[in-house]
Amino acid sequence: MTSEEIRSKFLEYFKSRGHAIVPSSSLVPTDPSVLLTTAGMQQFKPYFTGELDPDKDFSSLSTASIQKCVRTDDIDEVGDSTHLTFFEMLGNFSFGGYFKKEAIAFAHEFITKELDLPISYVTIFEGSHGVPKDTESKEIWKSLGVTDIREEGIGDVFWGPTGTSGPCGPTTEIYCRNAEGVDVEIWNIVFNQFFFEGSREELISGKKPEALKPLDTPGIDTGAGFERLVTIKQGVVSPYETDIFRETFAKIEEFSQGIKPQVARIFADHFRASVFLIADGVRPSNKEAGYIVRRLIRRMLAHKVTHDIHGDIFTALFPIISQKFGMYYPEVKDPEILHVLQEESAKFELAVVTGIGELKRLSATSHQLSASQAFMISSTYGLNFELMREIAPEATRGVTQEAFEAEFKQHQEISRAGMEKKFGGHGLLLDTGELKAKDEEELKIVTRLHTATHLMQAALRKVLGDEVRQAGSDITAERTRFDFQFGRKVTADELAKVEGLVNEVVSQDLPMQYQEMSKQEAVQTGALHFFIDRYPETVKVYYAGHSLDSAFSKEFCGGPHVTHTGEIGKFRIKKESSVGTGVRRIKAVVE
Ligand code: SER
């Protein structure tokens, strides 16, 4: 069975059982509390919590999707036969529709009948943290003839929440045997019965029992790793041996005869992951998602130098990925992706040259480098340790692999602490530069203020003319502060009109939505934006209205926004003042 057949079988199976098929969401989530999309359920979070109505949006209480995911926790393990950073997740979901009995029966039938794979064993939740043992699932499995049912704890069979809070619940996992006789988890059914107001670490610690609350309508969230399923079905031991990677491997092999399998796998995984991330608008940089792409690309390039891989391997691999996945994810066909990869390669080459110079300079003065100096050069210039040893064997002689790795680990901990601060720790929960919020409560207010700010800019242009252009904005839980170009004081009467217009749009409860498109198309829609070259090639245009054409406001923006303008509440302008020649400032609040 080809991977394409498995994909279609999955979608057909769930479609014919009443599921609406929903396309994968972007790898860059709209949820600001997570950096990347790591699971199929993420795009459905508001349906589990009851914020959005599945029946209205999908004409069904259940959906199925094949979701692009990136997980970077084990990025340094990639190169072995199992780890991947980019993968696809098959999922079927129910938001207050069917529950345990049907979800387990679907999984059982799909795996044993459609894929014709025997189940080795399943797991169920043993009970803890105030949640009882899942005897119901146990009985359902037994009734289906599964006898090996293992009970496990909260660390293994209780999923979620992702980010700073969210739906969560006990799970039941399904294991099948691979070609080496090892049992591998291939399917995970989450019973989203709870909402936890806190992180997963806090949940597991048991220190906030009051933060675990039952959801009004329990839901189902299934995740099945596509590559693992294909590996088992095709009778191989590694996802890298499946047809998913076949052409990629053949091409890598052409570039370097007898290349080490470990290096070939790094290329195969990292290249695919980079293409998908770039396709979703991520650009190599030194922070957050941009840093992940930079690291993936530079790791490949460092191996290219160390292993003497000549020729333009990126240009050769790109059409293979576009062809293999473009049918399902048309965004990976964009030729801009290859330009981004090539630009990053050129920067890397420059960094390598500068890094070698620095290495030579340091080794001339201090003869031998310390582990921390070696690590500093490695991280600044993107040279891996192997490469450094080749370039400067004398200078690096005193640094052992262990000492270098110890430096690396220490650095990882520091950067992880930084991430946690931003994404779930005790610092700011959200800081986009423009919007700042320290917790979920504040996040809700700044989101309302953010949409209100869009509406206000549109209203200002309607009342004062197109001369009005945003010059900056700063949104906190207290207020929005909006600076704009305009040549004179705005009168009280004009301010009242602006306020009135915004409140009228609030009372119309217009949907606030976005469309992703190329920068060029976005400009043509008339959407407002800052300096055009600040944006990536693909942008989101947020608009308030039923269609982009008829929208009251449209702007280039990364979100977050309310889903309907009614959520903003009463909008009030507090103050108008001057902040320099031709620039005015308005402070406003929502009540
Ligand atoms: N959310 C669960 C997972 O990612 C099931 O989809 O494993």
Side-chain angles (χ1 to χ4, degrees), residues 365-395:
T365 52
S366 61
H367 303 290
Q368 289 210 343
L369 302 181
S370 67
S372 87
Q373 278 175 318
F375 178 72
M376 190 274 291
I377 294 181
S378 155
S379 61
T380 313
Y381 302 102
L383 308 176
N384 66 10
F385 189 51
E386 250 175 321
L387 185 58
M388 285 173 47
R389 276 207 288 217
E390 260 174 50
I391 299 165
E394 274 305 306

Short mmCIF file of all heavy atoms in Angstrom, two decimals, residues 365-395:
data_model
loop_
_atom_site.label_atom_id
_atom_site.label_comp_id
_atom_site.label_asym_id
_atom_site.label_seq_id
_atom_site.Cartn_x
_atom_site.Cartn_y
_atom_site.Cartn_z
N THR A 365 46.15 33.65 19.01
CA THR A 365 46.43 34.34 20.27
C THR A 365 46.43 33.40 21.47
O THR A 365 47.30 33.47 22.32
CB THR A 365 45.41 35.47 20.53
OG1 THR A 365 44.10 34.91 20.40
CG2 THR A 365 45.59 36.62 19.54
N SER A 366 45.47 32.48 21.51
CA SER A 366 45.43 31.65 22.72
C SER A 366 45.81 30.20 22.42
O SER A 366 45.65 29.33 23.25
CB SER A 366 44.03 31.70 23.34
OG SER A 366 43.09 31.21 22.41
N HIS A 367 46.32 29.98 21.21
CA HIS A 367 46.75 28.64 20.78
C HIS A 367 45.66 27.60 20.84
O HIS A 367 45.24 27.08 19.83
CB HIS A 367 48.01 28.21 21.53
CG HIS A 367 49.10 29.20 21.34
ND1 HIS A 367 49.74 29.34 20.15
CD2 HIS A 367 49.61 30.12 22.18
CE1 HIS A 367 50.61 30.34 20.24
NE2 HIS A 367 50.55 30.83 21.46
N GLN A 368 45.21 27.32 22.03
CA GLN A 368 44.15 26.31 22.11
C GLN A 368 42.88 26.93 22.67
O GLN A 368 42.93 27.70 23.62
CB GLN A 368 44.62 25.15 22.97
CG GLN A 368 45.70 24.36 22.26
CD GLN A 368 45.69 22.91 22.67
OE1 GLN A 368 45.12 22.54 23.68
NE2 GLN A 368 46.34 22.09 21.87
N LEU A 369 41.78 26.53 22.07
CA LEU A 369 40.50 27.10 22.51
C LEU A 369 39.97 26.38 23.73
O LEU A 369 40.18 25.19 23.90
CB LEU A 369 39.46 26.96 21.40
CG LEU A 369 39.75 27.59 20.05
CD1 LEU A 369 38.57 27.37 19.11
CD2 LEU A 369 39.98 29.09 20.20
N SER A 370 39.21 27.13 24.54
CA SER A 370 38.49 26.48 25.63
C SER A 370 37.16 25.97 25.06
O SER A 370 36.75 26.39 23.97
CB SER A 370 38.22 27.48 26.74
OG SER A 370 37.32 28.46 26.26
N ALA A 371 36.48 25.11 25.81
CA ALA A 371 35.20 24.57 25.32
C ALA A 371 34.20 25.71 25.12
O ALA A 371 33.44 25.70 24.15
CB ALA A 371 34.65 23.56 26.31
N SER A 372 34.22 26.69 26.00
CA SER A 372 33.22 27.75 25.84
C SER A 372 33.55 28.65 24.65
O SER A 372 32.65 29.11 23.95
CB SER A 372 33.03 28.52 27.14
OG SER A 372 33.95 29.56 27.24
N GLN A 373 34.85 28.87 24.37
CA GLN A 373 35.21 29.64 23.16
C GLN A 373 34.77 28.87 21.92
O GLN A 373 34.24 29.44 20.97
CB GLN A 373 36.73 29.85 23.10
CG GLN A 373 37.22 31.00 23.94
CD GLN A 373 38.74 31.07 23.91
OE1 GLN A 373 39.41 30.03 23.99
NE2 GLN A 373 39.28 32.26 23.77
N ALA A 374 35.01 27.56 21.94
CA ALA A 374 34.63 26.73 20.79
C ALA A 374 33.13 26.79 20.57
O ALA A 374 32.65 26.95 19.44
CB ALA A 374 35.08 25.29 21.01
N PHE A 375 32.40 26.71 21.67
CA PHE A 375 30.95 26.75 21.53
C PHE A 375 30.48 28.11 21.03
O PHE A 375 29.58 28.21 20.20
CB PHE A 375 30.24 26.40 22.84
CG PHE A 375 28.76 26.49 22.70
CD1 PHE A 375 28.09 25.52 21.97
CD2 PHE A 375 28.05 27.57 23.19
CE1 PHE A 375 26.73 25.62 21.75
CE2 PHE A 375 26.70 27.68 22.98
CZ PHE A 375 26.03 26.70 22.25
N MET A 376 31.11 29.16 21.52
CA MET A 376 30.75 30.52 21.10
C MET A 376 30.91 30.65 19.58
O MET A 376 30.01 31.13 18.88
CB MET A 376 31.63 31.51 21.86
CG MET A 376 31.25 32.96 21.73
SD MET A 376 31.96 33.71 20.28
CE MET A 376 33.70 33.74 20.71
N ILE A 377 32.03 30.17 19.06
CA ILE A 377 32.26 30.26 17.61
C ILE A 377 31.24 29.40 16.87
O ILE A 377 30.66 29.81 15.86
CB ILE A 377 33.70 29.82 17.26
CG1 ILE A 377 34.67 30.82 17.87
CG2 ILE A 377 33.89 29.72 15.75
CD1 ILE A 377 36.12 30.52 17.59
N SER A 378 31.01 28.23 17.40
CA SER A 378 30.07 27.32 16.76
C SER A 378 28.68 27.93 16.65
O SER A 378 28.04 27.91 15.60
CB SER A 378 30.03 26.01 17.55
OG SER A 378 28.82 25.36 17.35
N SER A 379 28.19 28.52 17.74
CA SER A 379 26.82 29.04 17.68
C SER A 379 26.74 30.37 16.94
O SER A 379 25.75 30.65 16.28
CB SER A 379 26.22 29.14 19.09
OG SER A 379 26.98 30.04 19.84
N THR A 380 27.79 31.17 17.02
CA THR A 380 27.73 32.46 16.32
C THR A 380 27.79 32.28 14.81
O THR A 380 27.09 32.94 14.06
CB THR A 380 28.90 33.38 16.76
OG1 THR A 380 28.97 33.35 18.17
CG2 THR A 380 28.71 34.80 16.27
N TYR A 381 28.66 31.37 14.36
CA TYR A 381 28.87 31.26 12.92
C TYR A 381 28.22 30.03 12.31
O TYR A 381 28.34 29.79 11.11
CB TYR A 381 30.37 31.29 12.61
CG TYR A 381 31.01 32.54 13.12
CD1 TYR A 381 31.76 32.55 14.29
CD2 TYR A 381 30.82 33.76 12.46
CE1 TYR A 381 32.32 33.72 14.78
CE2 TYR A 381 31.37 34.93 12.94
CZ TYR A 381 32.12 34.90 14.11
OH TYR A 381 32.65 36.07 14.59
N GLY A 382 27.54 29.26 13.12
CA GLY A 382 26.83 28.10 12.58
C GLY A 382 27.77 27.00 12.12
O GLY A 382 27.48 26.24 11.21
N LEU A 383 28.97 26.92 12.73
CA LEU A 383 29.90 25.84 12.36
C LEU A 383 29.69 24.71 13.36
O LEU A 383 29.71 24.97 14.56
CB LEU A 383 31.34 26.31 12.50
CG LEU A 383 31.74 27.61 11.80
CD1 LEU A 383 33.18 27.96 12.15
CD2 LEU A 383 31.60 27.43 10.30
N ASN A 384 29.49 23.50 12.91
CA ASN A 384 29.37 22.44 13.91
C ASN A 384 30.76 22.02 14.38
O ASN A 384 31.78 22.35 13.78
CB ASN A 384 28.51 21.27 13.43
CG ASN A 384 29.13 20.53 12.28
OD1 ASN A 384 30.28 20.76 11.93
ND2 ASN A 384 28.36 19.63 11.68
N PHE A 385 30.80 21.28 15.48
CA PHE A 385 32.07 20.97 16.11
C PHE A 385 32.97 20.14 15.19
O PHE A 385 34.18 20.39 15.08
CB PHE A 385 31.80 20.25 17.44
CG PHE A 385 33.03 20.06 18.27
CD1 PHE A 385 33.87 21.14 18.54
CD2 PHE A 385 33.36 18.83 18.78
CE1 PHE A 385 35.02 20.98 19.31
CE2 PHE A 385 34.50 18.64 19.54
CZ PHE A 385 35.33 19.71 19.82
N GLU A 386 32.34 19.18 14.51
CA GLU A 386 33.09 18.35 13.57
C GLU A 386 33.83 19.19 12.54
O GLU A 386 34.99 18.99 12.23
CB GLU A 386 32.09 17.49 12.81
CG GLU A 386 32.12 16.03 13.14
CD GLU A 386 30.99 15.31 12.40
OE1 GLU A 386 29.88 15.89 12.31
OE2 GLU A 386 31.24 14.20 11.93
N LEU A 387 33.08 20.18 12.02
CA LEU A 387 33.62 21.06 10.99
C LEU A 387 34.77 21.90 11.57
O LEU A 387 35.81 22.06 10.93
CB LEU A 387 32.49 21.96 10.49
CG LEU A 387 32.76 22.90 9.35
CD1 LEU A 387 33.22 22.16 8.13
CD2 LEU A 387 31.48 23.67 9.00
N MET A 388 34.57 22.37 12.78
CA MET A 388 35.62 23.18 13.40
C MET A 388 36.89 22.37 13.60
O MET A 388 38.00 22.86 13.41
CB MET A 388 35.13 23.72 14.75
CG MET A 388 34.15 24.85 14.55
SD MET A 388 33.37 25.41 16.05
CE MET A 388 34.69 25.57 17.16
N ARG A 389 36.70 21.13 13.96
CA ARG A 389 37.88 20.28 14.18
C ARG A 389 38.65 20.07 12.88
O ARG A 389 39.87 19.99 12.85
CB ARG A 389 37.47 18.94 14.76
CG ARG A 389 37.32 19.04 16.27
CD ARG A 389 37.55 17.73 16.92
NE ARG A 389 36.45 16.84 16.67
CZ ARG A 389 35.98 15.97 17.56
NH1 ARG A 389 36.57 15.88 18.74
NH2 ARG A 389 35.00 15.18 17.27
N GLU A 390 37.90 20.00 11.79
CA GLU A 390 38.57 19.81 10.51
C GLU A 390 39.30 21.05 10.06
O GLU A 390 40.39 20.99 9.50
CB GLU A 390 37.54 19.42 9.46
CG GLU A 390 37.58 17.93 9.26
CD GLU A 390 36.50 17.45 8.34
OE1 GLU A 390 36.35 18.03 7.26
OE2 GLU A 390 35.82 16.50 8.74
N ILE A 391 38.65 22.20 10.31
CA ILE A 391 39.25 23.46 9.87
C ILE A 391 40.47 23.80 10.72
O ILE A 391 41.49 24.25 10.21
CB ILE A 391 38.22 24.61 9.96
CG1 ILE A 391 37.02 24.33 9.05
CG2 ILE A 391 38.85 25.93 9.59
CD1 ILE A 391 35.83 25.22 9.34
N ALA A 392 40.34 23.60 12.02
CA ALA A 392 41.43 24.01 12.90
C ALA A 392 41.77 22.89 13.89
O ALA A 392 41.46 22.98 15.07
CB ALA A 392 41.03 25.28 13.66
N PRO A 393 42.42 21.84 13.39
CA PRO A 393 42.69 20.68 14.27
C PRO A 393 43.56 21.04 15.47
O PRO A 393 43.32 20.55 16.56
CB PRO A 393 43.39 19.68 13.34
CG PRO A 393 43.77 20.42 12.12
CD PRO A 393 42.91 21.63 12.03
N GLU A 394 44.51 21.93 15.26
CA GLU A 394 45.41 22.29 16.36
C GLU A 394 44.67 23.03 17.46
O GLU A 394 44.72 22.67 18.63
CB GLU A 394 46.55 23.19 15.83
CG GLU A 394 47.72 22.39 15.29
CD GLU A 394 48.24 21.40 16.33
OE1 GLU A 394 48.55 21.84 17.45
OE2 GLU A 394 48.30 20.18 16.03
N ALA A 395 43.92 24.07 17.02
CA ALA A 395 43.26 24.94 18.00
C ALA A 395 42.19 24.21 18.80
O ALA A 395 41.90 24.57 19.92
CB ALA A 395 42.66 26.13 17.27
#
